C-alpha cells in the first residue's frame, strides 16, 4: 500500500487508502489531525496480519513502526511476562519503544486474528516532534491522560483557580464585642461596610497570634442583624452588640479557592464570610464578591428558598433549580461544585419545609434532628435524585405521646420534597417510615448491630445510612452517629470484609478487550448507566477504605483526602481514583444538563456512540481505574477469613 504520487496527497488516494484514512481519523491520537496529514499517513502505512496466538513484538527487538490495531485483539506484557494491558480496535502500541532507543519495551501477542496498520518511523517522529497533542498522547499512560483531562476541566474555570484572597475588597472593619449597638451601627455607617467583625474584649488584631492563644474573633454582625435583631425587637441602643452578634462563626481561610467559599455560603446560607489568615481576620467577602465569578449564583436561589411562605412557593422554584444546574455545567463547574451546590439547594428546601411544618403544627414536643442520607449527605446530589432522609429524636421521645406529631411533620416534608421534584424513595428510606423515626439510643443500636452482624440487609443499610448529615434541629445527634461509625467500623475486620464484598457487586462496563458492555434492559438498551456502573461502585469502595481509616468524612473526595493521608493505598492511587471519579461524574452531569436543555427527562444512561472519541477514550481509562481498584479491594479485605491482608 505504500504508493507515493506527487501533488496533494488527498487527491491521489486509492480506495483502500481512503478507507485507512477514514479509520485512523476515528481514533486518538489521529482524530485531530488535518486531512492532508491523515492522507499522508494513509499513503505510507503497511498492513500486517497476525494469526491468533502469534507473537507481534518481542522484548528488545528493533522496532521501526507504530502499531495501530485495525481489527482483532492484542495482549501487551511486562518484561517479566505479567499481563500489562489488553488492546482492541483503535488502540496503539509500540510507541514507548519508538521513543526510546528504537527497541521494544513491552512484548505483544495477538489473541485474535489481528490486522495492524504499521505507521513508519519517519512519520511517527515528525508527528511526535511537531504536534503537541499527538506527543502528549503517545508520551502518557492511561491514567496520566485521565489526569490531564481532569486538569484541563479545572483550569478552564476561574472558580477553581482563584483564591479567596483575591476577592477581599479591603481590610476588615473590627470592633470589640463589648461596644453598644449604636456604636457598631455608627462605625459601619462611617466605614461604608455591611458587616462588622467583632473581637473578644482586649484582643489586639495587630499582635501575632500563636497556637494556644485565645481566639481573636468573637463574632460578626451584619446590616440584616441590626434590622432583625435590634431595631425590629426595639432593643435599647446601648445594648452590647454581643447580644445580637452571630457567635457561631462560619469563616474561610485566605488560601481557599473561590468555589470553596461559594459552597460554604451555600451550605450555611450566609451572605458574609470572614476571611482568616493564621487565625487573624484579614477581610470579609460578601455574596456580591462571589457572584462576579458566577453569572447567576445558586446562592441567590438558596436565599430565595428561605423566603418562601408555602409549599407552592417552593415548588415554583423547581425550574430555577434546573436552570442553576445547567448554568453551572455550562460555565465549567467541576463535579464537586455541582454536587455540593445541588445538595445545598436540597438542604435549603428541606430546612424551609421543616420550618413551614413547625409553623403549621406548632413546636416539636421533643428535640429532633432531620438527617439527610445518600447523595445529599455526601454533597454529590444531581438533578436526577430521590429523597433519602430520617429523623433522630431525643431519648425522651415517647411514641404514644409524641409520634403523631413527628409522623405529620415527616409527611409534610416528604410530600413537599416530592412536589419540588425530589421523588419518594422506592425503598421507603424516609422519615415517614416509623423504623427511620427513632430516638438516638435506638439509632445507636441500629448502627452497632449493622457493624456487629453484617447480614445482607445490614450491609444494604450500612451503604445507605453511613452517608449521613444532620441538616436541621439538633445537629449533634447526627454527629454522634458519625463518631460511632468511625470508631467501631475501623476496629471490625469482619464487617469491613463483608462490606467490601458488597462493594464489588457493581462492576465497570468493560468487556474482556476493554470494549463497553451495554445495558440490555429495554428502555435503555445499548447504553451505559454511569451511576450504577461508574460513580456508585467508586463511592462504595472509597467508603470502605475511609471506614477502615476511621474517617468521619462524608463527601467522597474528602474521604479520598483522608485515605491519602494514610499508607493504605499505594503512591498515586488516591489521585487516580479522584480523577476517575471526577471524569465519570462530569460526563454524567453534562449528559443530564443536555437532557434538560433539550426538554428531555434527564437520566444516568449514556450511549457511547454519542460521545466524542476523547470522552470514549477517557471513559475507558476511568473504568480501568475502577476495575483495578476493585481488584485491590478484593485483595485487601479478605471476606472468607474475616481478616485484612497487610
Amino acid at each position: 500500500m505504500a504508493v507515493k504520487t506527487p501533488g496533494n496527497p488527498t487527491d491521489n488516494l486509492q480506495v483502500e487508502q481512503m478507507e485507512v484514512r477514514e479509520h485512523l481519523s476515528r481514533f486518538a491520537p489521529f482524530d485531530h489531525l488535518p486531512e492532508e496529514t491523515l492522507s499522508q499517513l494513509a499513503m505510507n502505512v503497511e498492513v500486517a496480519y497476525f494469526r491468533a496466538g502469534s507473537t507481534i513484538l518481542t522484548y528488545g527487538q528493533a522496532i521501526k513502526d507504530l502499531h495501530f490495531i485495525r481489527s482483532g485483539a492484542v495482549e501487551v506484557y511486562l518484561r517479566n511476562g505479567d499481563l500489562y494491558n489488553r488492546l482492541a480496535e483503535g488502540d496503539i502500541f509500540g510507541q514507548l519503544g519508538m521513543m526510546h532507543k528504537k527497541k521494544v519495551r513491552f512484548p505483544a501477542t495477538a489473541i485474535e486474528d489481528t490486522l495492524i496498520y504499521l505507521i513508519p518511523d519517519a512519520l511517527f517522529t515528525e508527528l511526535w516532534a511537531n504536534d503537541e497533542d499527538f506527543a502528549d498522547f503517545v508520551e502518557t499512560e492511561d491514567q496520566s491522560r485521565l489526569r490531564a483531562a481532569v486538569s484541563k476541566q479545572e483550569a478552564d474555570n476561574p472558580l477553581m483557580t482563584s483564591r479567596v484572597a483575591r476577592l477581599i475588597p479591603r481590610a476588615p472593619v473590627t470592633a470589640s464585642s463589648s461596644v453598644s449597638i449604636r456604636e457598631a451601627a455608627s462605625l459601619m455607617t462611617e466605614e461604608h461596610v455591611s458587616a462588622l467583625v467583632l473581637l473578644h474584649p482586649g484582643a489586639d488584631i495587630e499582635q501575632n497570634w500563636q497556637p494556644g492563644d485565645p481566639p481573636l474573633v468573637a463574632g460578626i454582625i451584619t446590616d440584616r442583624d441590626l434590622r432583625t435583631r435590634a431595631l425590629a425587637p426595639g432593643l435599647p441602643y446601648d445594648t452590647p452588640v454581643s447580644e445580637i452578634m452571630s457567635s457561631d462563626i462560619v469563616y474561610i481561610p485566605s488560601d481557599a479557592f473561590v468555589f470553596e467559599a461559594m459552597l460554604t455560603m451555600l451550605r450555611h446560607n450566609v451572605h458574609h464570610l470572614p476571611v482568616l489568615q493564621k487565625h487573624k481576620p484579614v477581610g470579609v467577602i460578601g455574596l456580591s464578591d462571589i457572584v462576579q465569578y458566577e453569572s447567576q449564583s445558586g446562592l441567590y436561589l438558596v436565599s430565595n428558598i428561605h423566603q418562601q411562605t408555602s409549599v407552592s412557593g417552593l415548588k415554583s422554584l423547581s425550574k430555577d433549580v434546573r436552570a442553576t444546574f445547567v448554568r453551572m455545567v455550562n460555565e465549567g463547574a467541576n463535579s464537586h461544585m455541582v454536587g455540593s451546590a445541588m445538595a445545598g439547594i436540597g438542604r435549603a428546601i428541606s430546612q424551609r419545609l421543616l420550618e413551614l411544618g413547625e409553623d403549621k403544627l406548632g413546636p416539636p414536643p421533643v428535640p429532633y434532628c432531620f438527617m439527610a442520607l445518600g447523595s445529599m449527605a455526601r454533597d454529590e446530589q444531581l438533578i436526577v435524585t430521590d429523597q433519602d432522609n430520617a429523623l433522630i429524636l431525643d431519648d425522651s421521645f415517647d411514641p404514644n405521646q409524641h409520634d403523631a406529631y413527628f409522623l405529620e411533620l415527616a409527611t409534610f416534608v416528604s410530600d413537599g420534597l416530592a412536589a419540588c421534584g425530589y421523588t419518594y424513595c422506592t425503598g421507603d428510606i424516609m422519615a415517614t417510615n416509623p423504623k427511620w423515626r427513632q430516638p438516638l439510643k435506638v439509632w445507636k443500636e441500629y448502627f452497632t448491630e449493622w457493624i456487629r452482624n453484617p447480614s445482607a440487609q445490614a450491609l444494604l443499610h450500612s451503604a445507605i445510612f453511613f452517608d449521613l448529615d444532620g441538616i436541621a434541629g439538633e445537629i449533634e445527634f447526627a454527629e454522634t452517629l458519625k463518631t460511632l461509625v468511625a470508631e467501631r467500623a475501623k476496629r471490625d475486620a469482619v464487617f469491613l470484609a463483608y462490606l467490601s464484598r458488597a462493594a464489588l457487586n457493581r462492576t465497570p462496563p468493560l468487556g474482556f478487550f476493554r470494549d463497553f458492555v451495554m445495558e440490555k434492559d429495554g428502555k435503555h438498551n445499548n447504553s451505559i448507566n454511569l451511576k450504577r456502573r461508574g460513580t456508585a461502585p467508586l463511592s462504595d469502595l472509597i467508603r470502605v477504605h475511609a471506614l477502615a481509616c476511621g474517617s468521619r468524612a462524608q463527601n467522597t473526595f474528602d474521604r479520598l483526602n483522608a485515605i491519602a493521608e494514610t499508607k493504605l493505598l499505594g503512591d498515586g492511587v488516591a489521585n487516580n481514583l479522584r480523577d476517575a471519579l471526577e471524569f465519570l461524574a462530569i460526563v454524567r452531569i453534562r449528559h443530564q444538563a443536555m437532557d434538560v436543555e433539550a426538554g428531555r427527562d434527564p437520566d444516568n444512561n449514556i450511549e457511547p456512540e454519542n460521545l466524542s472519541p476523547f470522552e470514549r477514550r477517557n471513559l475507558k481509562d476511568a473504568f480501568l481505574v475502577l476495575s483495578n481498584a476493585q481488584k485491590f479491594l478484593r485483595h485487601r479485605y479478605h471476606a472468607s477469613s474475616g481478616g485484612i491482608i497487610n
Side-chain angles (χ1 to χ4, degrees):
M1 290 186 63
V3 179
K4 300 182 181 180
T5 56
N8 187 333
T10 303
D11 296 335
N12 299 292
L13 291 181
Q14 304 299 316
V15 173
E16 295 88 348
Q17 295 168 339
M18 292 179 65
E19 192 277 336
V20 172
R21 184 187 69 179
E22 188 279 330
H23 200 79
L24 287 173
S25 70
R26 291 167 47 198
F27 299 94
F30 311 101
D31 50 356
H32 74 284
L33 297 177
E35 285 193 9
E36 183 174 346
T37 302
L38 285 169
S39 297
Q40 190 69 39
L41 288 172
M43 292 172 62
N44 286 276
V45 301
E46 294 183 0
V47 179
Y49 171 74
F50 297 88
R51 290 186 178 277
S54 62
T55 298
I56 302 174
L57 297 173
T58 58
Y59 177 72
Q61 79 174 80
I63 185 171
K64 58 183 180 63
D65 302 293
L66 177 68
H67 290 56
F68 172 95
I69 301 175
R70 172 61 179 85
S71 62
V74 173
E75 284 187 339
V76 179
Y77 302 91
L78 299 175
R79 68 177 69 182
N80 64 4
D82 290 343
L83 179 65
Y84 173 66
N85 208 346
R86 289 191 179 96
L87 306 176
E89 179 186 9
D91 288 324
I92 61 171
F93 61 99
Q95 67 269 31
L96 293 180
M98 299 279 287
M99 294 183 290
H100 299 279
K101 301 181 180 180
K102 309 298 181 186
K103 300 289 185 181
V104 172
R105 301 187 65 187
F106 295 96
T109 299
I111 53 175
E112 288 182 355
D113 290 350
T114 300
L115 281 177
I116 303 287
Y117 290 163
L118 302 174
I119 299 171
D121 177 45
L123 290 178
F124 170 82
T125 301
E126 182 180 350
L127 286 171
W128 180 31
N130 300 319
D131 190 294
E132 185 174 331
D133 290 338
F134 185 92
D136 286 344
F137 186 91
V138 299
E139 289 173 358
T140 57
E141 294 297 318
D142 294 348
Q143 293 164 4
S144 299
R145 290 200 299 267
L146 192 59
R147 170 92 290 264
V150 171
S151 297
K152 184 179 186 304
Q153 164 77 18
E154 294 174 351
D156 287 343
N157 191 299
L159 285 165
M160 292 294 300
T161 56
S162 298
R163 301 283 183 178
V164 165
R166 290 186 56 187
L167 302 187
I168 299 174
R170 55 174 293 177
V173 178
T174 64
S176 170
S177 60
S178 62
V179 302
S180 68
I181 290 172
R182 182 194 299 274
E183 291 172 314
S186 297
L187 181 58
M188 292 168 68
T189 301
E190 292 170 7
E191 296 289 343
H192 304 287
V193 294
S194 58
L196 183 65
V197 176
L198 299 167
L199 308 178
H200 285 287
D204 185 355
I205 196 173
E206 299 302 326
Q207 290 183 346
N208 289 327
W209 189 91
Q210 299 294 329
D213 289 350
L216 295 173
V217 180
I220 188 172
I221 185 174
T222 67
D223 283 343
R224 183 178 180 183
D225 295 330
L226 288 172
R227 294 194 308 271
T228 60
R229 300 177 185 177
L231 292 177
L235 293 181
Y237 291 163
D238 58 356
T239 301
V241 74
S242 58
E243 293 191 14
I244 66 166
M245 71 180 181
S246 298
S247 56
D248 188 13
I249 309 170
V250 179
Y251 65 90
I252 195 83
S254 60
D255 60 350
F257 290 106
V258 173
F259 91 93
E260 294 175 297
M262 183 193 76
L263 298 182
T264 300
M265 286 184 171
L266 270 170
R267 185 175 181 86
H268 298 281
N269 189 32
V270 295
H271 291 178
H272 295 84
L273 276 181
V275 180
L276 270 58
Q277 187 175 63
K278 295 181 179 180
H279 298 272
K280 294 174 60 175
V282 293
V284 177
I285 60 173
L287 176 64
S288 59
D289 299 313
I290 299 288
V291 172
Q292 68 172 303
Y293 280 86
E294 187 187 10
S295 62
Q296 292 190 355
S297 174
L299 293 167
Y300 279 134
L301 179 55
V302 168
S303 178
N304 200 7
I305 286 168
H306 283 281
Q307 295 172 11
Q308 299 305 307
T309 59
S310 66
V311 174
S312 60
L314 291 171
K315 181 180 178 181
S316 70
L317 298 178
S318 297
K319 62 181 184 300
D320 295 332
V321 175
R322 291 196 167 201
T324 297
F325 174 77
V326 170
R327 276 196 302 271
M328 291 190 71
V329 175
N330 290 340
E331 290 173 4
N334 69 7
S335 71
H336 185 36
M337 293 168 61
V338 175
S340 297
M342 298 308 292
I345 291 168
R347 281 192 191 90
I349 292 173
S350 301
Q351 290 163 353
R352 189 56 184 145
L353 285 168
L354 286 163
E355 292 168 352
L356 293 174
E358 288 189 23
D359 289 344
K360 175 183 177 182
L361 303 174
V366 298
Y368 72 89
C369 172
F370 189 83
M371 183 166 61
L373 307 166
S375 60
M376 185 185 292
R378 295 195 309 271
D379 278 340
E380 295 167 17
Q381 196 161 52
L382 301 185
I383 203 70
V384 180
T385 186
D386 60 0
Q387 50 178 289
D388 296 297
N389 52 64
L391 276 173
I392 311 173
L393 306 169
D394 187 81
D395 284 341
S396 62
F397 170 75
D398 180 343
N400 294 325
Q401 297 183 51
H402 308 141
D403 196 46
Y405 175 93
F406 287 109
L407 172 59
E408 197 168 352
L409 179 64
T411 301
F412 180 86
V413 173
S414 184
D415 290 346
L417 287 171
C420 294
Y422 300 85
T423 58
Y424 297 110
C425 175
T426 55
D428 204 19
I429 308 297
M430 296 179 291
T432 50
N433 184 336
K435 186 174 183 179
W436 313 129
R437 194 173 63 248
Q438 294 291 334
L440 179 59
K441 59 186 177 184
V442 174
W443 280 105
K444 290 179 180 178
E445 292 171 1
Y446 283 170
F447 279 55
T448 301
E449 180 63 17
W450 294 337
I451 295 172
R452 183 184 297 145
N453 297 306
S455 65
Q457 192 65 32
L459 292 171
L460 177 61
H461 289 150
S462 299
I464 297 171
F465 286 91
F466 284 12
D467 296 343
L468 65 99
D469 187 38
I471 64 173
E474 305 299 321
I475 305 300
E476 61 269 21
F477 290 175
E479 296 302 313
T480 298
L481 295 181
K482 289 181 186 178
T483 300
L484 184 153
V485 171
E487 292 178 350
R488 292 184 180 243
K490 69 177 180 180
R491 300 198 303 262
D492 199 312
V494 173
F495 171 74
L496 292 174
Y498 276 92
L499 192 64
S500 67
R501 176 182 291 180
L504 297 172
N505 287 336
R506 295 181 285 197
T507 56
L510 285 180
F512 190 69
F513 303 123
R514 293 183 65 187
D515 290 329
F516 291 125
V517 177
M518 306 299 181
E519 305 284 345
K520 302 294 182 183
D521 63 353
K523 180 181 178 181
H524 296 296
N525 199 33
N526 293 324
S527 68
I528 298 172
N529 187 303
L530 280 184
K531 177 182 179 182
R532 184 165 62 242
R533 305 297 296 276
T535 56
L538 262 175
S539 296
D540 288 344
L541 71 88
I542 291 167
R543 182 190 300 111
V544 176
H545 290 319
L547 291 174
C549 295
S551 171
R552 287 167 45 93
Q554 302 295 301
N555 176 262
T556 304
F557 290 104
D558 292 341
R559 284 171 168 167
L560 275 172
N561 291 338
I563 295 166
E565 293 175 358
T566 72
K567 299 298 182 181
L568 194 153
L569 302 179
D571 292 341
V573 175
N575 286 335
N576 293 339
L577 289 171
R578 183 178 293 106
D579 294 339
L581 179 62
E582 173 61 26
F583 193 81
L584 288 169
I586 207 65
V587 171
R588 178 183 166 208
I589 287 168
R590 287 173 180 163
H591 167 76
Q592 291 186 2
M594 287 189 292
D595 281 344
V596 172
E597 288 185 299
R600 299 186 296 264
D601 290 332
D603 57 38
N604 295 305
N605 288 73
I606 61 156
E607 295 76 30
E609 65 267 21
N610 294 333
L611 299 175
S612 67
F614 171 85
E615 288 177 316
R616 284 198 300 270
R617 181 177 70 246
N618 284 291
L619 272 181
K620 288 184 178 181
D621 293 344
F623 286 137
L624 187 61
V625 170
L626 170 56
S627 179
N628 291 334
Q630 288 188 329
K631 292 175 185 176
F632 176 80
L633 191 77
R634 185 179 293 109
H635 173 77
R636 171 76 184 178
Y637 305 97
H638 198 278
S640 59
S641 66
I644 299 178
I645 298 175
N646 293 309

